[in-house]
Amino acid sequence: FGSSSGVLMEGPCISSLHVRTHKGTETKDFDISGAGDLNVQGAFTVTLEPPCPVYEMYFRTAQQEEAMDPTHWSLKGETHDGKEKVLIRQKETREMANGYRLPRFSKVGPFLVEQWRKDFDTSDSDLRLDTLPAAAAELLSFFTVSLKTLLKEGIDPTERLLECSIGSLPTLTQIIPSFNETVINSEKSLIDEDGVQSNLAFIISQYPGEWDNLAAKLRTSARELFLDFISRTSSADHVMEVRLWAAMRSQTVAKTVAGAIRYHEVLGMIPKVEGYQPRDFMKNFHSHAQVGQLIIAHQTFGKSDKDEGNEDNDQSLLQLLEMYREWPVYLAFDFDSKAARKPVSHLVEHAAVDKFKPIQLKKDFTLRYASALVRYSPSRNRQHGHKLSYQDLQVIELLPRRHPLLIGTPNFKSQGKAGNQLNALRFAGGHYIQMMDANMGASFSEACKVPFILKMFQPAQIDRRLVKFRILGFREFIFTEHHGAVGGIMASAESSFGTICQRFLAGLDVRMHYGHPDFIDAFWASNRGSLSKASPAINLSEDIFAGFNARMRGERSEHSDALAWEKGRETSFNTSSMFFYKVSTGNVGVMRSRDLKILCERLNIADNLSFYFASIGFYLNNWLIDMSIKVYLFVFVLLTLASKTLEDVGKLGSLLASEWIVSMGIIATLPRFAELILEYGCLEGFCRFFKSVLSILIAFTFINKSIASGVSTAMVTGEGNYIATGRPNANTHFSWRECYFVHCQTHYYPALNLLMWYLVYHSITYEHETSALPMFIIVFTAMMWLIAPMLFCPQPRFTRLQVDMREYWKFVVATPKESVRGRSLKGLLEDQLRVGYSDQRSTLYEMWLARALEHKRRSKTLQAGILVWNFVLLGLLVGLSQVGVFIGLWDFFVAFICHCVLIMVWEAFGRPEALMLFAFLSVFLVPYLFMPDMLLCDYLLALLILIQCLCVIKQAVLLVCRLYPATRPNMKWPEMPSKPDAEWRKKKNAANRTRRYDMLVEYFFINFMEYEIHLLCALFILILNLITQLLMVLLDWIGGLHSWFLLNRNLGLELGTCGKRRKYEPGHGQRSTRGASQQGGMQPTEIAAWLPQATPAAVAAASSLSRPAPPAASTA
């Protein structure tokens, strides 16, 4: 090798060259060194006596050579002095092939990681990344460049994976906590449509090349396989193949299990662990289990449907256990004798009898609660077509418990995920634990690094009695990045937090534990408070408390950039917003926790500043920004009412007198931009960043409001509830009614409030002919809060628009036929109202009436505080308003009296919808029509003062009623005893007091214009939704532009065409997408032929594509 081949530049000095041969079991070293440093000019040749197959070469240099380009070398190792480079450059000859068994991988080509740097001669290369599918190229490129990162993090370069033994491998237990997440996509869910496409068609459109490979393996065409599945005419084997294929490309438990199995495949490849029998090494189950185990911790397995069980998920779990029966895969579940299905009860009870035979049990002994660990019984030989049953399981461990898994009252129970983790931790036998969410995965190449990463806990150079850290995090590769525009947006956010932020916080030594799949010291976690905390309300964000626990005990949490695990994120807009809302409410629980208080007291000022951004800083900062928008706008309204112009403000030298076009929040995008440049190079990083700026700007304007609303709500109520987003596909259509249920309080009403005050501000300045700030950013922000869900709503069509509008209109205008007075005393009024989104009978009236009754559950102190705030706001409006406002206020009062009369008529005639709309118009339009000379600003201020005055009166009366014992509602009256008669009379009295209070609340709700205001807002939102959705329908009609942007190119029409979009079917003019085969490159079906001669790195990356499931369901 030398400069003539383009490998070495002219100039580096080689002091010695070592060639290691592989001849049977004999290893020889040849040391070729010159007197002093040897200057390499041209080619340098080493002659060996044949036959002598070369296994590896390495050379030593006198100094670190900067002229060498390491991207052209297959770098294996580096010593601590940084002077010894190890290379592999094996070439097969006749002598090597005759009589000598070569190493498994005998052909290595250079990896061109950043080929734009230098134009190398690649005519004899074995592999080019630009000829591979995009997913394989990304995995290979990261694998090659991460090896040097692995060496820099203290890994011994002389260690080799295949030379490891059971004693030198750290033992690992992988745990997958799951509640009711999808295990394997059901046939029904894949056939279901979103209004245009079936869910299977959407997944195929994301991976068209891989669907072709599946069809070729099943010896059918892609189109026939799809049509047969949709029409339910496929064979049972083909149905299962398609289900597994879809599951490996969705956020499912099956994908997570398959990713965890990659590490077990690596262990099975090590000779000293499994004896290295390439064709039947999986049979050595017990020796493999000594090094690693996988536990699926399922919280609802075996429970009946009425107790949150799911029989389809149970069957899918049995399918996974049967598929991976040769691996150490176990299932841990919570057993409750009253909630379990009969077969599960028989299985556990028989195991209990066998386990506790030596113990003298009482005759009436019954097993109430237990933690069970099961696996697929090795004695079971499944017949073809046989349905799996619970009797196919074998109980390995059984731990009886005195209490249920979740403790507490029905509405105040401990956190389910934390309890599920603890349930699995009892059976973990590894030195280290890896908790994985049910939406993760891993490639074979990354699994090969896990043994070396685990050794970072206790490197060979330190005292073996010490541990460097207790938690080790690493990078996350978001595989849903290419699942539509929302998937890309969420992937950018997760990558920024999971990689850039984690790396930075680790450098400041304030990194906590922010979720999975971090590695955790199992011994330390087992005896120091488990992996997370489970207190209700406080520990909703349970993961971060493991980091708090480590820091309070003087331990560290580290981050590694050498390993990357696959992870999924929300790909639907509504669920993305709900996810951030859930996390932000949980963060308020963190603020209230004892752990945060102790840490802040122990840290110095500098560390506290760092810790602020490592814990609550991001969420609190979003809340402060959101509050500043309201304060900013309200200050200008007050200045204008006080007759202060912009010129007056400017004379004071204040920056408020000028408009800020560029937001300081843009600075937050710079780390992501720099990271993309470093990861992908200047050109690709620049393109990736700027093509997503607009969508990210719109989405995070909306999502940041979700965070602020979550923080505000949790601060006021002190509650934070878990929200199951469900992780639907990116093509899932959401209706207008659903958007109203999800976003009305968090986004719609705050946006309308901003627009109202903005209108008041500009109307005042217009009437008084003074200058006003345009406030572009505030208007843009408010409008995005209102229309962003429609912009990101997939599959817009005229037929779907009509259905959404009809459903929403019915929800808005319908009212119940009876009032509170006419309802029976069967329980609390809140429980009788139809307010759920899943209930198609729910109405706007009942939804907001139920929320008007929520204050009964809150403290009287909070209610008094809200009253004081509203009274202060009323005083400001009255004190700064002009005389013209109060002249028009009398007309509004007359209109309000007429409104109350119309409401009485509405009640008397059975609540007709037309009469309610007329009463609605009588308040908002009649005063303006009968007073044409009244200024718009005076009209708006008079209306605001009237509404605020009514609000203060209502809250004051309700507070007095709650304070006075004779009218105080009792929320616990349904639980009061009914016998004897004295107790029954007390219960009846409490029920009547509560009913009278509810009647008062409903009276204020109807007569004090609260319901009319909600009706006005809902109608305004309907108009905005209609306009926005019509534009999206038009864009999708013109070339399928909306679906092309939001989902992928295969779901749109050809550009330049118009018309009705057809349903997607494989083989109809599909185009290559990210993750599918690229034109002109290596097809996935060719990878299998290339693998036998490929490098270990290439096999490691490509095998993650070719083995997403067991051999029966694999595709290239």
Side-chain angles (χ1 to χ4, degrees):
F1 64 97
S3 60
S4 60
S5 63
V7 177
L8 283 179
M9 302 297 178
E10 189 171 335
C13 298
I14 296 180
S15 59
S16 62
L17 176 69
H18 304 262
V19 180
R20 187 177 179 186
T21 64
H22 192 288
K23 185 176 181 181
T25 58
E26 183 180 0
T27 300
K28 297 182 179 179
D29 289 334
F30 295 85
D31 188 354
I32 303 174
S33 57
D37 294 343
L38 183 63
N39 191 10
V40 179
Q41 306 266 351
F44 186 80
T45 306
V46 178
T47 304
L48 302 175
E49 181 179 357
C52 191
V54 176
Y55 181 64
E56 66 176 356
M57 298 189 292
Y58 61 93
F59 64 92
R60 291 184 61 84
T61 58
Q63 59 185 359
Q64 186 68 267
E65 57 281 359
E66 299 293 338
M68 293 179 57
D69 190 347
T71 61
H72 199 66
W73 294 62
S74 177
L75 189 63
K76 277 197 65 176
E78 183 175 356
T79 58
H80 299 292
D81 58 7
K83 296 181 179 180
E84 187 171 297
K85 308 286 184 183
V86 183
L87 307 173
I88 298 177
R89 190 71 177 180
Q90 301 173 344
K91 292 187 178 180
E92 185 174 353
T93 62
R94 292 182 181 179
E95 292 82 5
M96 299 164 83
N98 296 329
Y100 295 96
R101 186 173 68 87
L102 295 176
R104 184 178 179 185
F105 305 114
S106 60
K107 199 170 185 181
V108 177
F111 292 91
L112 305 182
V113 179
E114 292 177 328
Q115 40 201 97
W116 54 270
R117 283 190 174 184
K118 185 176 177 66
D119 187 15
F120 292 106
D121 180 14
T122 57
S123 57
D124 59 343
S125 298
D126 301 313
L127 174 65
R128 286 178 59 95
L129 291 184
D130 57 349
T131 64
L132 289 178
E138 193 164 2
L139 287 171
L140 278 171
S141 60
F142 175 75
F143 178 79
T144 52
V145 298
S146 66
L147 294 180
K148 192 164 187 176
T149 306
L150 191 65
L151 296 171
K152 288 181 178 179
E153 293 184 349
I155 301 301
D156 187 356
T158 61
E159 281 192 271
R160 287 171 174 79
L161 180 63
L162 297 181
E163 297 176 0
C164 293
S165 61
I166 290 181
S168 63
L169 282 171
T171 57
L172 175 67
T173 298
Q174 297 168 303
I175 300 176
I176 306 174
S178 175
F179 178 72
N180 247 340
E181 291 88 347
T182 301
V183 180
I184 301 175
N185 301 76
S186 66
E187 183 180 7
K188 180 181 180 300
S189 67
L190 293 175
I191 295 176
D192 285 346
E193 293 187 353
D194 55 15
V196 181
Q197 312 290 350
S198 65
N199 290 324
L200 178 61
F202 171 72
I203 298 175
I204 295 173
S205 71
Q206 297 286 109
Y207 307 95
E210 297 181 26
W211 178 259
D212 293 339
N213 298 333
L214 175 65
K217 188 189 66 175
L218 299 178
R219 299 181 180 180
T220 183
S221 68
R223 178 177 169 79
E224 288 179 359
L225 180 61
F226 173 74
L227 294 178
D228 288 345
F229 185 88
I230 295 298
S231 60
R232 299 179 184 268
T233 58
S234 298
S235 64
D237 291 340
H238 282 197
V239 169
M240 181 53 65
E241 291 286 332
V242 173
R243 289 179 60 198
L244 287 171
W245 183 90
M248 297 304 162
R249 287 147 187 85
S250 305
Q251 301 185 59
T252 60
V253 176
K255 178 178 177 61
T256 311
V257 172
I261 290 294
R262 299 286 179 263
Y263 178 63
H264 297 270
E265 292 176 352
V266 172
L267 296 177
M269 188 180 66
I270 301 175
K272 293 182 180 179
V273 175
E274 294 291 341
Y276 196 63
Q277 299 294 328
R279 294 185 180 180
D280 58 352
F281 67 89
M282 289 191 298
K283 295 181 180 179
N284 298 326
F285 178 85
H286 296 291
S287 60
H288 184 190
Q290 298 178 30
V291 186
Q293 61 179 160
L294 171 61
I295 299 176
I296 307 172
H298 204 278
Q299 192 171 333
T300 62
F301 178 81
K303 293 185 177 180
S304 59
D305 294 338
K306 65 178 182 180
D307 294 292
E308 300 179 329
N310 188 319
E311 189 173 4
D312 291 338
N313 271 350
D314 288 0
Q315 280 294 319
S316 298
L317 285 168
L318 293 173
Q319 181 75 27
L320 287 180
L321 292 175
E322 191 270 338
M323 287 165 53
Y324 298 111
R325 60 186 180 275
E326 303 296 341
W327 300 100
V329 179
Y330 306 94
L331 173 66
F333 66 93
D334 169 45
F335 174 75
D336 183 349
S337 60
K338 292 186 177 180
R341 300 178 188 272
K342 288 185 178 180
V344 178
S345 295
H346 293 161
L347 177 70
V348 174
E349 288 170 359
H350 291 165
V353 172
D354 296 338
K355 181 178 179 63
F356 304 124
K357 268 184 180 180
I359 306 175
Q360 296 295 328
L361 298 176
K362 296 181 180 179
K363 293 183 179 181
D364 58 346
F365 170 78
T366 56
L367 187 63
R368 181 70 171 90
Y369 304 108
S371 298
L373 183 71
V374 300
R375 58 163 295 193
Y376 190 83
S377 178
S379 60
R380 293 278 182 173
N381 293 321
R382 184 186 177 190
Q383 301 294 329
H384 182 72
H386 168 69
K387 183 179 180 180
L388 294 169
S389 68
Y390 299 105
Q391 303 305 319
D392 295 329
L393 300 177
Q394 175 187 2
V395 179
I396 305 298
E397 293 288 345
L398 189 65
L399 298 178
R401 301 196 314 267
R402 183 181 182 86
H403 300 285
L405 184 66
L406 306 182
I407 57 176
T409 59
N411 295 324
F412 201 70
K413 283 190 175 182
S414 55
Q415 297 298 330
K417 187 176 179 180
N420 198 15
Q421 291 175 352
L422 179 60
N423 191 50
L425 183 62
R426 298 185 176 102
F427 305 112
H431 291 153
Y432 304 103
I433 291 177
Q434 183 186 24
M435 285 283 176
M436 291 185 286
D437 288 330
N439 62 336
M440 293 185 174
S443 63
F444 186 83
S445 56
E446 298 306 300
C448 291
K449 308 175 196 172
V450 170
F452 302 101
I453 295 293
L454 292 178
K455 292 183 180 181
M456 294 173 60
F457 279 90
Q458 285 184 302
Q461 298 85 0
I462 70 170
D463 190 341
R464 299 299 293 170
R465 295 172 297 178
L466 304 177
V467 178
K468 288 183 65 177
F469 37 77
R470 300 297 182 178
I471 302 174
L472 177 61
F474 42 89
R475 297 166 59 111
E476 294 174 353
F477 169 69
I478 311 302
F479 68 86
T480 53
E481 178 182 2
H482 312 298
H483 290 198
V486 178
I489 293 168
M490 294 297 290
S492 298
E494 190 69 19
S495 299
S496 299
F497 178 75
T499 299
I500 305 172
C501 186
Q502 300 297 304
R503 182 195 303 136
F504 182 74
L505 293 176
L508 296 176
D509 198 22
V510 291
R511 182 190 183 274
M512 300 293 122
H513 172 55
Y514 300 97
H516 312 310
D518 287 4
F519 293 118
I520 301 176
D521 187 333
F523 175 79
W524 178 84
S526 298
N527 57 65
R528 286 172 177 81
S530 184
L531 300 163
S532 55
K533 294 193 175 182
S535 300
I538 296 293
N539 301 131
L540 180 61
S541 298
E542 75 285 343
D543 297 326
I544 195 173
F545 288 93
F548 287 175
N549 195 16
R551 188 58 191 259
M552 284 191 296
R553 299 175 186 273
E555 307 289 354
R556 296 178 59 240
S557 175
E558 194 53 73
H559 175 83
S560 173
D561 258 352
L563 184 66
W565 221 255
E566 293 181 3
K567 188 173 184 178
R569 274 269 69 96
E570 281 70 17
T571 58
S572 177
F573 189 77
N574 278 359
T575 57
S576 301
S577 174
M578 292 163 61
F579 169 78
F580 278 101
Y581 181 86
K582 175 192 70 174
V583 174
S584 59
T585 56
N587 201 261
V588 176
V590 174
M591 300 179 194
R592 300 169 55 200
S593 66
R594 175 176 173 268
D595 307 65
L596 192 71
K597 175 181 179 296
I598 294 175
L599 278 172
C600 292
E601 289 175 348
R602 293 181 179 180
L603 297 176
N604 55 48
I605 295 178
D607 288 340
N608 259 313
L609 292 174
S610 301
F611 179 62
Y612 169 75
F613 289 100
S615 53
I616 64 173
F618 173 73
Y619 302 94
L620 199 56
N621 184 57
N622 273 279
W623 179 75
L624 291 173
I625 292 174
D626 181 70
M627 293 298 295
S628 68
I629 296 175
K630 302 176 185 177
V631 172
Y632 177 79
L633 185 54
F634 196 64
V635 164
F636 273 95
V637 172
L638 294 180
L639 287 174
T640 308
L641 290 174
S643 301
K644 297 297 181 182
T645 64
L646 289 179
E647 290 76 11
D648 297 332
V649 177
K651 291 178 182 179
L652 300 176
S654 173
L655 293 177
L656 291 175
S658 58
E659 177 81 17
W660 286 43
I661 301 297
V662 179
S663 171
M664 296 298 290
I666 295 177
I667 298 176
T669 64
L670 296 181
R672 175 65 177 164
F673 178 63
E675 183 74 13
L676 290 174
I677 295 294
L678 294 174
E679 292 279 346
Y680 300 101
C682 290
L683 182 59
E684 185 174 353
F686 186 88
C687 295
R688 280 175 175 252
F689 178 78
F690 282 98
K691 76 178 183 181
S692 62
V693 166
L694 181 60
S695 59
I696 289 178
L697 176 64
I698 296 173
F700 276 97
T701 299
F702 191 90
I703 289 174
N704 287 344
K705 179 57 182 175
S706 302
I707 297 172
S709 298
V711 172
S712 299
T713 303
M715 281 182 174
V716 173
T717 63
E719 298 177 358
N721 297 319
Y722 181 81
I723 301 175
T725 61
R727 303 190 186 107
N729 288 332
N731 66 315
T732 303
H733 180 88
F734 39 86
S735 65
W736 298 3
R737 181 170 168 270
E738 177 186 351
C739 291
Y740 187 87
F741 268 89
V742 175
H743 305 305
C744 63
Q745 284 188 304
T746 58
H747 295 82
Y748 291 165
Y749 278 67
L752 293 174
N753 191 29
L754 282 182
L755 293 177
M756 179 198 66
W757 286 109
Y758 177 80
L759 181 61
V760 169
Y761 168 64
H762 272 269
S763 64
I764 297 174
T765 56
Y766 175 77
E767 299 294 346
H768 292 80
E769 298 181 352
T770 59
S771 57
L773 290 178
M775 298 185 181
F776 293 119
I777 295 179
I778 290 181
V779 175
F780 172 81
T781 300
M783 290 305 298
M784 289 305 103
W785 292 352
L786 290 170
I787 68 173
M790 293 297 102
L791 296 177
F792 288 94
C793 182
Q795 312 290 10
R797 298 182 73 185
F798 283 109
T799 55
R800 186 70 248 186
L801 186 149
Q802 295 172 8
V803 172
D804 288 346
M805 185 173 179
R806 190 182 305 114
E807 181 187 42
Y808 184 76
W809 176 259
K810 180 181 177 181
F811 163 75
V812 169
V813 301
T815 54
K817 298 301 180 183
E818 57 184 8
S819 64
V820 175
R821 186 189 301 272
R823 295 179 182 267
S824 61
L825 280 172
K826 294 182 179 180
L828 295 175
L829 175 62
E830 297 92 314
D831 299 332
Q832 301 178 36
L833 297 174
R834 298 168 295 188
V835 296
Y837 165 70
S838 58
D839 190 349
Q840 294 297 323
R841 301 171 300 169
S842 60
T843 61
L844 181 80
Y845 180 95
E846 292 179 277
M847 171 185 170
W848 284 109
L849 178 59
R851 298 190 182 187
L853 294 166
E854 287 179 353
H855 72 276
K856 295 188 298 182
R857 303 179 184 274
R858 300 172 188 167
S859 66
K860 301 179 186 66
T861 304
L862 177 60
Q863 189 174 352
I866 295 175
L867 173 61
V868 171
W869 163 249
N870 282 292
F871 187 79
V872 171
L873 184 59
L874 177 62
L876 288 174
L877 289 175
V878 172
L880 296 175
S881 296
Q882 299 179 359
V883 178
V885 175
F886 298 101
I887 295 175
L889 194 60
W890 171 253
D891 298 316
F892 271 101
F893 180 74
V894 174
F896 170 69
I897 298 298
C898 296
H899 166 266
C900 293
V901 174
L902 288 174
I903 291 297
M904 294 174 61
V905 177
W906 174 71
E907 290 274 8
F909 283 88
R911 300 188 168 195
E913 298 171 358
L915 194 56
M916 171 53 71
L917 292 175
F918 184 71
F920 159 74
L921 295 175
S922 67
V923 178
F924 294 100
L925 294 182
V926 171
Y928 192 71
L929 294 177
F930 282 91
M931 295 179 293
D933 297 332
M934 188 176 185
L935 298 177
L936 177 61
C937 60
D938 293 341
Y939 167 80
L940 293 175
L941 286 174
L943 180 61
L944 289 175
I945 290 174
L946 175 64
I947 294 174
Q948 192 67 20
C949 184
L950 294 176
C951 179
V952 170
I953 295 173
K954 180 194 70 173
Q955 292 178 352
V957 172
L958 293 178
L959 180 60
V960 171
C961 291
R962 290 189 68 186
L963 294 175
Y964 187 58
T967 56
R968 182 183 302 161
N970 188 346
M971 299 297 294
K972 297 182 179 180
W973 72 262
E975 304 172 7
M976 296 174 64
S978 301
K979 295 180 181 181
D981 292 341
E983 297 294 333
W984 179 82
R985 284 192 294 270
K986 290 181 180 179
K987 181 176 182 179
K988 185 177 180 180
N989 186 29
N992 289 329
R993 288 202 317 269
T994 307
R995 175 56 57 89
R996 287 193 296 269
Y997 186 88
D998 293 342
M999 291 168 56
L1000 181 62
V1001 172
E1002 187 183 33
Y1003 176 83
F1004 286 136
F1005 178 74
I1006 299 173
N1007 290 274
F1008 277 32
M1009 301 194 310
E1010 186 175 351
Y1011 172 61
E1012 285 83 349
I1013 293 173
H1014 293 310
L1015 186 61
L1016 174 64
C1017 295
L1019 293 176
F1020 184 77
I1021 293 168
L1022 182 146
I1023 296 172
L1024 284 180
N1025 286 348
L1026 179 61
I1027 296 173
T1028 309
Q1029 194 78 334
L1030 280 173
L1031 292 175
M1032 297 303 103
V1033 170
L1034 183 62
L1035 281 177
D1036 218 45
W1037 187 73
I1038 304 175
L1041 293 177
H1042 185 267
S1043 294
W1044 174 81
F1045 163 76
L1046 192 63
L1047 300 176
N1048 62 63
R1049 297 176 58 190
N1050 285 327
L1051 295 183
L1053 291 170
E1054 295 292 338
L1055 295 181
T1057 63
C1058 300
K1060 182 180 179 181
R1061 287 179 48 230
R1062 58 173 174 79
K1063 292 186 177 182
Y1064 175 80
E1065 293 180 2
H1068 272 191
Q1070 65 192 22
R1071 293 175 288 274
S1072 174
T1073 60
R1074 187 74 175 170
S1077 305
Q1078 296 181 350
Q1079 296 292 336
M1082 181 183 292
Q1083 299 298 317
T1085 50
E1086 299 172 359
I1087 297 181
W1090 170 75
L1091 284 178
Q1093 297 179 340
T1095 69
V1099 173
S1103 63
S1104 65
L1105 298 178
S1106 62
R1107 291 181 292 175
S1114 63
T1115 60

